[in-house]
Amino acid sequence: MSEERMVTVLVAVHAPEVEAAAVTVLGAQPQVTVARRCAELAELLAAAEAGAGTAAVVSGDLPGLDREAVARLRGAGLRVVALEDPATPAERLAGLGSDVVVAEGDMENLVAAVRGAAPEVAPPAATVPDLGGRPGTLIAVWGPSGSPGRTTTAIELAAALAGVGAATPRRSGLLRRSRPVPPPNGARTVLLADADTYASSVTSRLGLLDDAPGLAAAARAAGQGVLDVVTLAGHSPVVLPGVRVLTGITRASRWPELPAASLDMVFQRCRELAAWTVVDCGPVLETDELLTYDTRAPQRNGATLSALQAADVVVVVGGADPVGLQRLVRGLEDLRDTAVPVPAARLVVVNRVRDSAVGRRAESQVRDALARYAGVDDVHLVPDDPGGLDAALLAGRVLAECAPGSPARAAFVGLAERVRELVPAPV
């Protein structure tokens, strides 16, 4: 018979009497050692990252405990066991990412949870609405630096997936607050999220007021373990028929409000709220630890990496000119070598295809260049349409509203069909 594995426990419980009971019970168990009784979260994190334990027992009312702290504990290799109390219900603790949640006075199940077993009486699970099928699809729209049209592609793709057509009611005013708009018959709900931490522009592009960054608010709720579908819907109002928008940060300096650990939960909830989630990502893929030599520093590019890792489809966007194509080739290499796994299917989109930038037979030239230098044989081309795109930008509308006959709009509708072929919508 194999010997039972030794478990080393770090305890960080706010209430003294509960901490004493937990330490007494755990210390009396064979093959269980209480390595440290931590007075605060900072001490717990330091001990975990120093390799002082294999499991952590934390109380829900521990000051500073949030999803990012739990992610750090789990990243250090610890099993996180949270103690439920009246002020912090099991749903919130589960939302923080805890491995197991047990009742505060249930010492028998606490011992089992620390050893790696599930408690005999599981806490109630967080309520998840029944969408009548599998979770929704997440699409990350990414491209290298240089304004290749990531935001335009994300917006037009979202509108095309939602079935926004020429009959969409016109909206008045360049700067407006979003208002409820009923979705068209038969359309699936689409959620457009702006996760660009360098130049967030979905708000400006759609003519919305930028006083309430919805994605940052959702990330804060996720960090506290209280983000559910209803809360997410409140932060993502409907601005087009069938299209909700999670607006981005209002200033680039606010990027620390979008931690990757919180956005992982946000994107999971997005799948529960909408059939399609389109995420506009920033252009940079480097992991900031390599730049700062500090593994605990916030990651400015964590939002983009989180979206790419969670995506079912990655739409890679480039510009149809010599500089844009060169950046696209290098960007595809960077995407292959990124620090996080990106298992999603990929679609390469080249915007503003025109003879004046790449020579005669521009479509053939772009396809040949990408096949030769990037090994990409399947490219989706979007023709240049300065008139239609400028009109949409000026009015703060999508092409379906102000230029329904635009060749660029037809190309984006075709892109939506390609996405549907790769990942069918939930039924």
Side-chain angles (χ1 to χ4, degrees):
M1 185 175 66
S2 61
E3 295 183 358
E4 193 173 6
R5 181 176 61 91
M6 174 65 73
V7 179
T8 307
V9 186
L10 306 178
V11 178
V13 179
H14 191 53
E17 62 279 3
V18 179
E19 181 201 33
V23 170
T24 300
V25 171
L26 292 173
Q29 304 300 316
Q31 299 297 101
V32 176
T33 300
V34 178
R36 184 169 300 179
R37 300 168 68 173
C38 304
E40 58 185 13
L41 180 63
E43 183 181 356
L44 173 64
L45 293 173
E49 290 164 358
T54 59
V57 176
V58 299
S59 60
D61 59 351
L62 184 67
L65 185 67
D66 58 12
R67 186 172 179 83
E68 189 169 5
V70 173
R72 288 178 60 179
L73 291 172
R74 298 185 66 183
L78 275 71
R79 178 178 176 82
V80 180
V81 179
L83 298 181
E84 179 189 9
D85 61 77
T88 50
E91 290 86 350
R92 177 179 179 272
L93 294 174
L96 294 179
S98 305
D99 292 290
V100 184
V101 180
V102 299
E104 190 174 66
D106 190 354
M107 295 304 166
E108 181 178 352
N109 274 326
L110 173 62
V111 173
V114 166
R115 291 187 183 277
E120 294 180 2
V121 180
T127 302
V128 177
D130 183 8
L131 298 182
R134 64 175 177 79
T137 298
L138 192 141
I139 305 160
V141 178
W142 178 84
S145 58
S147 300
R150 293 182 303 273
T151 300
T152 298
T153 300
I155 291 173
E156 295 298 335
L157 175 59
L161 288 171
V164 178
T168 299
R170 299 276 178 154
R171 298 171 293 165
S172 60
L174 292 180
L175 291 177
R176 61 189 180 278
R177 293 187 180 275
S178 55
R179 56 184 176 82
V181 182
N185 293 333
R188 304 289 302 188
T189 303
V190 178
L191 178 59
L192 173 63
D194 190 348
D196 190 342
T197 55
Y198 288 86
S200 172
S201 56
V202 168
T203 301
S204 302
R205 177 62 180 77
L206 290 177
L208 302 172
L209 293 177
D210 61 358
D211 55 350
L215 186 59
R220 284 193 294 272
Q224 296 303 315
V226 295
L227 181 67
D228 55 18
V229 176
V230 176
T231 303
L232 181 62
H235 292 306
S236 55
V238 179
V239 299
L240 281 169
V243 180
R244 292 180 173 272
V245 174
L246 267 175
T247 54
I249 52 178
T250 55
R251 291 180 176 84
S253 59
R254 297 182 63 178
W255 63 265
E257 297 181 34
L258 301 178
S262 297
L263 289 180
D264 291 342
M265 175 56 68
V266 172
F267 295 142
Q268 181 178 331
R269 290 288 182 260
C270 288
R271 293 179 184 275
E272 299 167 6
L273 176 62
W276 302 96
T277 299
V278 180
V279 184
D280 182 16
C281 301
V284 185
L285 298 178
E286 287 87 349
T287 51
D288 295 317
E289 300 90 56
L290 299 179
L291 305 178
T292 63
Y293 299 96
D294 184 353
T295 57
R296 293 276 64 87
Q299 297 185 28
R300 180 167 191 173
N301 307 323
T304 294
L305 296 175
S306 175
L308 291 174
Q309 191 171 8
D312 300 296
V313 179
V314 176
V315 176
V316 184
V317 182
D321 57 75
V323 175
L325 290 174
Q326 184 183 48
R327 287 173 173 169
L328 177 58
V329 170
R330 292 177 177 174
L332 288 168
E333 295 177 356
D334 293 340
L335 189 61
R336 284 192 292 267
D337 299 334
T338 188
V340 300
V342 184
R346 298 174 193 178
L347 283 174
V348 177
V349 176
V350 179
N351 282 326
R352 299 193 63 198
V353 177
R354 58 205 186 278
D355 291 350
S356 59
V358 293
R360 297 179 58 186
R361 298 183 294 109
E363 294 85 354
S364 177
Q365 298 255 30
V366 169
R367 294 184 190 277
D368 291 345
L370 290 177
R372 175 179 298 181
Y373 298 109
V376 177
D377 297 323
D378 187 10
V379 184
H380 191 82
L381 304 179
V382 179
D384 192 24
D385 180 21
L389 292 170
D390 286 349
L393 179 62
L394 178 63
R397 297 171 175 169
V398 296
L399 289 171
E401 294 181 289
C402 60
S406 165
R409 184 204 168 212
F412 286 123
V413 171
L415 176 62
E417 292 301 323
R418 294 284 304 280
V419 170
R420 290 190 183 99
E421 293 173 1
L422 285 175
V423 184
V427 294

